PDB file of all heavy atoms in Angstrom:
ATOM      1  N   ALA A   1     144.956  74.386  -2.889  1.00 98.00           N
ATOM      2  CA  ALA A   1     143.583  74.450  -2.769  1.00 98.00           C
ATOM      3  C   ALA A   1     143.052  74.506  -1.314  1.00 98.00           C
ATOM      4  O   ALA A   1     141.848  74.430  -1.082  1.00 98.00           O
ATOM      5  CB  ALA A   1     142.904  73.239  -3.492  1.00 98.00           C
ATOM      6  N   LEU A   2     143.927  74.618  -0.351  1.00 98.00           N
ATOM      7  CA  LEU A   2     143.548  74.423   1.052  1.00 98.00           C
ATOM      8  C   LEU A   2     142.612  75.532   1.534  1.00 98.00           C
ATOM      9  O   LEU A   2     141.711  75.210   2.424  1.00 98.00           O
ATOM     10  CB  LEU A   2     144.758  74.329   1.951  1.00 98.00           C
ATOM     11  CG  LEU A   2     145.516  72.974   1.873  1.00 98.00           C
ATOM     12  CD1 LEU A   2     146.639  72.927   2.858  1.00 98.00           C
ATOM     13  CD2 LEU A   2     144.565  71.844   2.089  1.00 98.00           C
ATOM     14  N   ASP A   3     142.717  76.747   1.021  1.00 97.00           N
ATOM     15  CA  ASP A   3     141.734  77.736   1.456  1.00 97.00           C
ATOM     16  C   ASP A   3     140.309  77.326   1.082  1.00 97.00           C
ATOM     17  O   ASP A   3     139.403  77.468   1.880  1.00 97.00           O
ATOM     18  CB  ASP A   3     142.080  79.139   0.898  1.00 97.00           C
ATOM     19  CG  ASP A   3     143.278  79.740   1.562  1.00 97.00           C
ATOM     20  OD1 ASP A   3     143.720  79.262   2.620  1.00 97.00           O
ATOM     21  OD2 ASP A   3     143.809  80.724   0.963  1.00 97.00           O
ATOM     22  N   ALA A   4     140.204  76.884  -0.176  1.00 98.00           N
ATOM     23  CA  ALA A   4     138.850  76.429  -0.657  1.00 98.00           C
ATOM     24  C   ALA A   4     138.416  75.166   0.069  1.00 98.00           C
ATOM     25  O   ALA A   4     137.197  75.044   0.432  1.00 98.00           O
ATOM     26  CB  ALA A   4     138.902  76.196  -2.154  1.00 98.00           C
ATOM     27  N   LYS A   5     139.352  74.324   0.370  1.00 98.00           N
ATOM     28  CA  LYS A   5     139.011  73.038   1.002  1.00 98.00           C
ATOM     29  C   LYS A   5     138.526  73.343   2.414  1.00 98.00           C
ATOM     30  O   LYS A   5     137.524  72.760   2.934  1.00 98.00           O
ATOM     31  CB  LYS A   5     140.156  72.065   1.026  1.00 98.00           C
ATOM     32  CG  LYS A   5     139.937  70.765   1.742  1.00 98.00           C
ATOM     33  CD  LYS A   5     141.019  69.718   1.527  1.00 98.00           C
ATOM     34  CE  LYS A   5     140.740  68.454   2.183  1.00 98.00           C
ATOM     35  NZ  LYS A   5     141.636  67.325   1.785  1.00 98.00           N
ATOM     36  N   ARG A   6     139.250  74.201   3.184  1.00 97.00           N
ATOM     37  CA  ARG A   6     138.859  74.490   4.509  1.00 97.00           C
ATOM     38  C   ARG A   6     137.479  75.204   4.559  1.00 97.00           C
ATOM     39  O   ARG A   6     136.607  74.888   5.336  1.00 97.00           O
ATOM     40  CB  ARG A   6     139.891  75.400   5.185  1.00 97.00           C
ATOM     41  CG  ARG A   6     139.733  75.433   6.735  1.00 97.00           C
ATOM     42  CD  ARG A   6     140.500  76.585   7.357  1.00 97.00           C
ATOM     43  NE  ARG A   6     141.955  76.501   7.204  1.00 97.00           N
ATOM     44  CZ  ARG A   6     142.848  76.243   8.146  1.00 97.00           C
ATOM     45  NH1 ARG A   6     142.413  75.826   9.312  1.00 97.00           N
ATOM     46  NH2 ARG A   6     144.112  76.236   7.859  1.00 97.00           N
ATOM     47  N   ALA A   7     137.304  76.083   3.583  1.00 97.00           N
ATOM     48  CA  ALA A   7     135.955  76.834   3.498  1.00 97.00           C
ATOM     49  C   ALA A   7     134.862  75.790   3.229  1.00 97.00           C
ATOM     50  O   ALA A   7     133.738  75.933   3.747  1.00 97.00           O
ATOM     51  CB  ALA A   7     136.006  77.883   2.397  1.00 97.00           C
ATOM     52  N   ALA A   8     135.090  74.854   2.354  1.00 98.00           N
ATOM     53  CA  ALA A   8     134.096  73.827   2.043  1.00 98.00           C
ATOM     54  C   ALA A   8     133.789  72.979   3.209  1.00 98.00           C
ATOM     55  O   ALA A   8     132.583  72.593   3.453  1.00 98.00           O
ATOM     56  CB  ALA A   8     134.531  72.958   0.799  1.00 98.00           C
ATOM     57  N   ILE A   9     134.783  72.621   3.985  1.00 97.00           N
ATOM     58  CA  ILE A   9     134.562  71.809   5.207  1.00 97.00           C
ATOM     59  C   ILE A   9     133.684  72.665   6.123  1.00 97.00           C
ATOM     60  O   ILE A   9     132.694  72.145   6.737  1.00 97.00           O
ATOM     61  CB  ILE A   9     135.899  71.456   5.854  1.00 97.00           C
ATOM     62  CG1 ILE A   9     136.659  70.463   4.929  1.00 97.00           C
ATOM     63  CG2 ILE A   9     135.646  70.840   7.268  1.00 97.00           C
ATOM     64  CD1 ILE A   9     138.071  70.204   5.444  1.00 97.00           C
ATOM     65  N   ARG A  10     134.048  73.885   6.268  1.00 96.00           N
ATOM     66  CA  ARG A  10     133.256  74.761   7.247  1.00 96.00           C
ATOM     67  C   ARG A  10     131.820  74.998   6.729  1.00 96.00           C
ATOM     68  O   ARG A  10     130.952  75.260   7.598  1.00 96.00           O
ATOM     69  CB  ARG A  10     133.908  76.157   7.316  1.00 96.00           C
ATOM     70  CG  ARG A  10     135.198  76.105   8.177  1.00 96.00           C
ATOM     71  CD  ARG A  10     135.849  77.485   8.205  1.00 96.00           C
ATOM     72  NE  ARG A  10     136.956  77.558   9.240  1.00 96.00           N
ATOM     73  CZ  ARG A  10     137.963  78.374   9.216  1.00 96.00           C
ATOM     74  NH1 ARG A  10     138.058  79.213   8.140  1.00 96.00           N
ATOM     75  NH2 ARG A  10     138.831  78.474  10.131  1.00 96.00           N
ATOM     76  N   ALA A  11     131.593  74.820   5.487  1.00 97.00           N
ATOM     77  CA  ALA A  11     130.193  74.998   4.996  1.00 97.00           C
ATOM     78  C   ALA A  11     129.254  73.927   5.527  1.00 97.00           C
ATOM     79  O   ALA A  11     128.086  74.183   5.585  1.00 97.00           O
ATOM     80  CB  ALA A  11     130.196  74.923   3.407  1.00 97.00           C
ATOM     81  N   HIS A  12     129.785  72.790   5.999  1.00 96.00           N
ATOM     82  CA  HIS A  12     128.929  71.783   6.538  1.00 96.00           C
ATOM     83  C   HIS A  12     128.718  72.038   8.102  1.00 96.00           C
ATOM     84  O   HIS A  12     129.172  71.300   8.947  1.00 96.00           O
ATOM     85  CB  HIS A  12     129.604  70.409   6.295  1.00 96.00           C
ATOM     86  CG  HIS A  12     129.679  70.017   4.863  1.00 96.00           C
ATOM     87  ND1 HIS A  12     128.537  69.474   4.211  1.00 96.00           N
ATOM     88  CD2 HIS A  12     130.653  70.132   3.953  1.00 96.00           C
ATOM     89  CE1 HIS A  12     128.890  69.240   2.961  1.00 96.00           C
ATOM     90  NE2 HIS A  12     130.127  69.656   2.742  1.00 96.00           N
ATOM     91  N   VAL A  13     128.005  73.113   8.307  1.00 93.00           N
ATOM     92  CA  VAL A  13     127.971  73.677   9.624  1.00 93.00           C
ATOM     93  C   VAL A  13     127.169  72.742  10.622  1.00 93.00           C
ATOM     94  O   VAL A  13     127.443  72.748  11.858  1.00 93.00           O
ATOM     95  CB  VAL A  13     127.257  75.037   9.674  1.00 93.00           C
ATOM     96  CG1 VAL A  13     128.163  76.060   8.999  1.00 93.00           C
ATOM     97  CG2 VAL A  13     125.888  75.050   9.022  1.00 93.00           C
ATOM     98  N   SER A  14     126.269  71.867  10.135  1.00 92.00           N
ATOM     99  CA  SER A  14     125.591  70.986  11.064  1.00 92.00           C
ATOM    100  C   SER A  14     126.483  69.870  11.537  1.00 92.00           C
ATOM    101  O   SER A  14     126.247  69.373  12.629  1.00 92.00           O
ATOM    102  CB  SER A  14     124.370  70.392  10.348  1.00 92.00           C
ATOM    103  OG  SER A  14     124.767  69.537   9.368  1.00 92.00           O
ATOM    104  N   GLN A  15     127.525  69.556  10.771  1.00 91.00           N
ATOM    105  CA  GLN A  15     128.324  68.388  11.051  1.00 91.00           C
ATOM    106  C   GLN A  15     129.638  68.777  11.765  1.00 91.00           C
ATOM    107  O   GLN A  15     130.265  67.983  12.493  1.00 91.00           O
ATOM    108  CB  GLN A  15     128.680  67.628   9.824  1.00 91.00           C
ATOM    109  CG  GLN A  15     127.477  67.170   9.006  1.00 91.00           C
ATOM    110  CD  GLN A  15     126.542  66.325   9.810  1.00 91.00           C
ATOM    111  OE1 GLN A  15     126.914  65.231  10.275  1.00 91.00           O
ATOM    112  NE2 GLN A  15     125.333  66.783  10.039  1.00 91.00           N
ATOM    113  N   ILE A  16     130.150  70.040  11.453  1.00 89.00           N
ATOM    114  CA  ILE A  16     131.478  70.341  11.867  1.00 89.00           C
ATOM    115  C   ILE A  16     131.402  71.641  12.630  1.00 89.00           C
ATOM    116  O   ILE A  16     131.197  72.764  12.029  1.00 89.00           O
ATOM    117  CB  ILE A  16     132.443  70.484  10.644  1.00 89.00           C
ATOM    118  CG1 ILE A  16     132.432  69.153   9.887  1.00 89.00           C
ATOM    119  CG2 ILE A  16     133.797  70.900  11.035  1.00 89.00           C
ATOM    120  CD1 ILE A  16     132.958  69.241   8.493  1.00 89.00           C
ATOM    121  N   PRO A  17     131.651  71.603  13.979  1.00 86.00           N
ATOM    122  CA  PRO A  17     131.601  72.832  14.760  1.00 86.00           C
ATOM    123  C   PRO A  17     132.672  73.825  14.284  1.00 86.00           C
ATOM    124  O   PRO A  17     133.769  73.425  13.767  1.00 86.00           O
ATOM    125  CB  PRO A  17     131.902  72.377  16.177  1.00 86.00           C
ATOM    126  CG  PRO A  17     131.571  70.894  16.144  1.00 86.00           C
ATOM    127  CD  PRO A  17     131.837  70.421  14.756  1.00 86.00           C
ATOM    128  N   ALA A  18     132.376  75.111  14.527  1.00 81.00           N
ATOM    129  CA  ALA A  18     133.350  76.150  14.097  1.00 81.00           C
ATOM    130  C   ALA A  18     134.697  76.001  14.757  1.00 81.00           C
ATOM    131  O   ALA A  18     135.734  76.415  14.146  1.00 81.00           O
ATOM    132  CB  ALA A  18     132.774  77.523  14.457  1.00 81.00           C
ATOM    133  N   ASP A  19     134.702  75.417  15.940  1.00 81.00           N
ATOM    134  CA  ASP A  19     136.017  75.262  16.691  1.00 81.00           C
ATOM    135  C   ASP A  19     136.526  73.786  16.533  1.00 81.00           C
ATOM    136  O   ASP A  19     137.352  73.399  17.333  1.00 81.00           O
ATOM    137  CB  ASP A  19     135.821  75.632  18.145  1.00 81.00           C
ATOM    138  CG  ASP A  19     134.777  74.731  18.848  1.00 81.00           C
ATOM    139  OD1 ASP A  19     134.050  73.984  18.183  1.00 81.00           O
ATOM    140  OD2 ASP A  19     134.665  74.882  20.074  1.00 81.00           O
ATOM    141  N   SER A  20     136.004  73.027  15.547  1.00 84.00           N
ATOM    142  CA  SER A  20     136.447  71.702  15.299  1.00 84.00           C
ATOM    143  C   SER A  20     138.030  71.675  15.204  1.00 84.00           C
ATOM    144  O   SER A  20     138.650  72.588  14.617  1.00 84.00           O
ATOM    145  CB  SER A  20     135.865  71.144  14.001  1.00 84.00           C
ATOM    146  OG  SER A  20     136.462  69.908  13.660  1.00 84.00           O
ATOM    147  N   PHE A  21     138.630  70.698  15.755  1.00 84.00           N
ATOM    148  CA  PHE A  21     140.097  70.576  15.830  1.00 84.00           C
ATOM    149  C   PHE A  21     140.764  70.754  14.495  1.00 84.00           C
ATOM    150  O   PHE A  21     141.624  71.581  14.323  1.00 84.00           O
ATOM    151  CB  PHE A  21     140.516  69.186  16.437  1.00 84.00           C
ATOM    152  CG  PHE A  21     142.004  68.937  16.525  1.00 84.00           C
ATOM    153  CD1 PHE A  21     142.663  69.504  17.532  1.00 84.00           C
ATOM    154  CD2 PHE A  21     142.611  68.243  15.542  1.00 84.00           C
ATOM    155  CE1 PHE A  21     144.068  69.281  17.657  1.00 84.00           C
ATOM    156  CE2 PHE A  21     143.980  68.000  15.575  1.00 84.00           C
ATOM    157  CZ  PHE A  21     144.690  68.537  16.626  1.00 84.00           C
ATOM    158  N   PHE A  22     140.282  69.953  13.481  1.00 82.00           N
ATOM    159  CA  PHE A  22     141.017  70.014  12.177  1.00 82.00           C
ATOM    160  C   PHE A  22     140.706  71.362  11.452  1.00 82.00           C
ATOM    161  O   PHE A  22     141.634  71.917  10.794  1.00 82.00           O
ATOM    162  CB  PHE A  22     140.589  68.835  11.335  1.00 82.00           C
ATOM    163  CG  PHE A  22     141.287  67.554  11.708  1.00 82.00           C
ATOM    164  CD1 PHE A  22     140.653  66.600  12.478  1.00 82.00           C
ATOM    165  CD2 PHE A  22     142.626  67.355  11.342  1.00 82.00           C
ATOM    166  CE1 PHE A  22     141.292  65.464  12.812  1.00 82.00           C
ATOM    167  CE2 PHE A  22     143.271  66.198  11.738  1.00 82.00           C
ATOM    168  CZ  PHE A  22     142.610  65.226  12.486  1.00 82.00           C
ATOM    169  N   VAL A  23     139.513  71.856  11.582  1.00 88.00           N
ATOM    170  CA  VAL A  23     139.221  73.091  10.920  1.00 88.00           C
ATOM    171  C   VAL A  23     139.932  74.280  11.533  1.00 88.00           C
ATOM    172  O   VAL A  23     140.394  75.193  10.877  1.00 88.00           O
ATOM    173  CB  VAL A  23     137.682  73.431  10.995  1.00 88.00           C
ATOM    174  CG1 VAL A  23     137.399  74.864  10.505  1.00 88.00           C
ATOM    175  CG2 VAL A  23     136.926  72.441  10.193  1.00 88.00           C
ATOM    176  N   ALA A  24     140.268  74.174  12.864  1.00 90.00           N
ATOM    177  CA  ALA A  24     140.957  75.266  13.594  1.00 90.00           C
ATOM    178  C   ALA A  24     142.502  75.157  13.550  1.00 90.00           C
ATOM    179  O   ALA A  24     143.180  76.053  13.961  1.00 90.00           O
ATOM    180  CB  ALA A  24     140.562  75.220  15.063  1.00 90.00           C
ATOM    181  N   LEU A  25     143.011  74.081  12.910  1.00 91.00           N
ATOM    182  CA  LEU A  25     144.469  73.970  12.789  1.00 91.00           C
ATOM    183  C   LEU A  25     145.131  75.114  12.081  1.00 91.00           C
ATOM    184  O   LEU A  25     144.550  75.622  11.079  1.00 91.00           O
ATOM    185  CB  LEU A  25     144.804  72.656  12.058  1.00 91.00           C
ATOM    186  CG  LEU A  25     144.613  71.364  12.793  1.00 91.00           C
ATOM    187  CD1 LEU A  25     144.787  70.206  11.822  1.00 91.00           C
ATOM    188  CD2 LEU A  25     145.656  71.244  13.956  1.00 91.00           C
ATOM    189  N   PRO A  26     146.315  75.576  12.532  1.00 93.00           N
ATOM    190  CA  PRO A  26     147.012  76.575  11.818  1.00 93.00           C
ATOM    191  C   PRO A  26     147.405  76.026  10.371  1.00 93.00           C
ATOM    192  O   PRO A  26     147.363  74.803  10.190  1.00 93.00           O
ATOM    193  CB  PRO A  26     148.263  76.855  12.643  1.00 93.00           C
ATOM    194  CG  PRO A  26     148.398  75.619  13.506  1.00 93.00           C
ATOM    195  CD  PRO A  26     147.009  75.123  13.729  1.00 93.00           C
ATOM    196  N   ASP A  27     147.717  76.926   9.464  1.00 95.00           N
ATOM    197  CA  ASP A  27     147.869  76.527   8.105  1.00 95.00           C
ATOM    198  C   ASP A  27     148.849  75.376   7.875  1.00 95.00           C
ATOM    199  O   ASP A  27     148.632  74.467   7.151  1.00 95.00           O
ATOM    200  CB  ASP A  27     148.362  77.726   7.202  1.00 95.00           C
ATOM    201  CG  ASP A  27     147.251  78.737   7.034  1.00 95.00           C
ATOM    202  OD1 ASP A  27     146.061  78.450   7.409  1.00 95.00           O
ATOM    203  OD2 ASP A  27     147.569  79.861   6.621  1.00 95.00           O
ATOM    204  N   GLU A  28     150.035  75.460   8.520  1.00 95.00           N
ATOM    205  CA  GLU A  28     151.089  74.445   8.359  1.00 95.00           C
ATOM    206  C   GLU A  28     150.553  73.042   8.812  1.00 95.00           C
ATOM    207  O   GLU A  28     150.784  72.012   8.177  1.00 95.00           O
ATOM    208  CB  GLU A  28     152.335  74.766   9.107  1.00 95.00           C
ATOM    209  CG  GLU A  28     153.529  73.814   8.855  1.00 95.00           C
ATOM    210  CD  GLU A  28     154.761  74.236   9.584  1.00 95.00           C
ATOM    211  OE1 GLU A  28     154.729  75.259  10.290  1.00 95.00           O
ATOM    212  OE2 GLU A  28     155.787  73.540   9.448  1.00 95.00           O
ATOM    213  N   ALA A  29     149.858  73.048   9.935  1.00 94.00           N
ATOM    214  CA  ALA A  29     149.325  71.795  10.460  1.00 94.00           C
ATOM    215  C   ALA A  29     148.161  71.246   9.593  1.00 94.00           C
ATOM    216  O   ALA A  29     148.065  70.053   9.365  1.00 94.00           O
ATOM    217  CB  ALA A  29     148.858  71.974  11.913  1.00 94.00           C
ATOM    218  N   PHE A  30     147.335  72.201   9.125  1.00 94.00           N
ATOM    219  CA  PHE A  30     146.247  71.799   8.296  1.00 94.00           C
ATOM    220  C   PHE A  30     146.759  71.156   6.996  1.00 94.00           C
ATOM    221  O   PHE A  30     146.209  70.178   6.510  1.00 94.00           O
ATOM    222  CB  PHE A  30     145.384  73.008   7.953  1.00 94.00           C
ATOM    223  CG  PHE A  30     144.098  72.740   7.256  1.00 94.00           C
ATOM    224  CD1 PHE A  30     143.027  72.134   7.940  1.00 94.00           C
ATOM    225  CD2 PHE A  30     143.904  72.996   5.875  1.00 94.00           C
ATOM    226  CE1 PHE A  30     141.797  71.891   7.316  1.00 94.00           C
ATOM    227  CE2 PHE A  30     142.692  72.728   5.240  1.00 94.00           C
ATOM    228  CZ  PHE A  30     141.671  72.211   5.940  1.00 94.00           C
ATOM    229  N   ALA A  31     147.864  71.733   6.468  1.00 96.00           N
ATOM    230  CA  ALA A  31     148.494  71.209   5.263  1.00 96.00           C
ATOM    231  C   ALA A  31     149.077  69.761   5.554  1.00 96.00           C
ATOM    232  O   ALA A  31     148.979  68.885   4.717  1.00 96.00           O
ATOM    233  CB  ALA A  31     149.558  72.081   4.742  1.00 96.00           C
ATOM    234  N   LEU A  32     149.647  69.584   6.727  1.00 95.00           N
ATOM    235  CA  LEU A  32     150.207  68.281   7.093  1.00 95.00           C
ATOM    236  C   LEU A  32     149.053  67.220   7.136  1.00 95.00           C
ATOM    237  O   LEU A  32     149.205  66.081   6.664  1.00 95.00           O
ATOM    238  CB  LEU A  32     150.899  68.318   8.407  1.00 95.00           C
ATOM    239  CG  LEU A  32     151.458  66.985   8.954  1.00 95.00           C
ATOM    240  CD1 LEU A  32     152.556  66.435   8.032  1.00 95.00           C
ATOM    241  CD2 LEU A  32     152.075  67.249  10.374  1.00 95.00           C
ATOM    242  N   ALA A  33     147.875  67.610   7.725  1.00 93.00           N
ATOM    243  CA  ALA A  33     146.839  66.653   7.910  1.00 93.00           C
ATOM    244  C   ALA A  33     146.052  66.407   6.616  1.00 93.00           C
ATOM    245  O   ALA A  33     145.635  65.310   6.341  1.00 93.00           O
ATOM    246  CB  ALA A  33     145.879  67.149   9.005  1.00 93.00           C
ATOM    247  N   LEU A  34     145.786  67.471   5.871  1.00 96.00           N
ATOM    248  CA  LEU A  34     144.822  67.385   4.734  1.00 96.00           C
ATOM    249  C   LEU A  34     145.398  67.966   3.463  1.00 96.00           C
ATOM    250  O   LEU A  34     144.533  68.133   2.500  1.00 96.00           O
ATOM    251  CB  LEU A  34     143.536  68.203   5.137  1.00 96.00           C
ATOM    252  CG  LEU A  34     142.786  67.612   6.387  1.00 96.00           C
ATOM    253  CD1 LEU A  34     141.662  68.524   6.782  1.00 96.00           C
ATOM    254  CD2 LEU A  34     142.238  66.229   6.066  1.00 96.00           C
ATOM    255  N   GLY A  35     146.682  68.162   3.387  1.00 97.00           N
ATOM    256  CA  GLY A  35     147.221  68.752   2.202  1.00 97.00           C
ATOM    257  C   GLY A  35     147.589  67.810   1.057  1.00 97.00           C
ATOM    258  O   GLY A  35     147.988  68.241   0.006  1.00 97.00           O
ATOM    259  N   THR A  36     147.356  66.558   1.327  1.00 97.00           N
ATOM    260  CA  THR A  36     147.504  65.530   0.244  1.00 97.00           C
ATOM    261  C   THR A  36     146.293  64.681   0.156  1.00 97.00           C
ATOM    262  O   THR A  36     145.725  64.273   1.227  1.00 97.00           O
ATOM    263  CB  THR A  36     148.730  64.646   0.500  1.00 97.00           C
ATOM    264  OG1 THR A  36     149.915  65.465   0.650  1.00 97.00           O
ATOM    265  CG2 THR A  36     149.029  63.681  -0.631  1.00 97.00           C
TER     266      THR A  36
END
């Protein structure tokens, strides 16, 4: 579900900059941080 989760996080544009560290993580790192 990580594509949908990342897109949903990005939808909160007032709170989360487009270049936010966690949003910008490559897929493998994003999965490590937020995949569970």
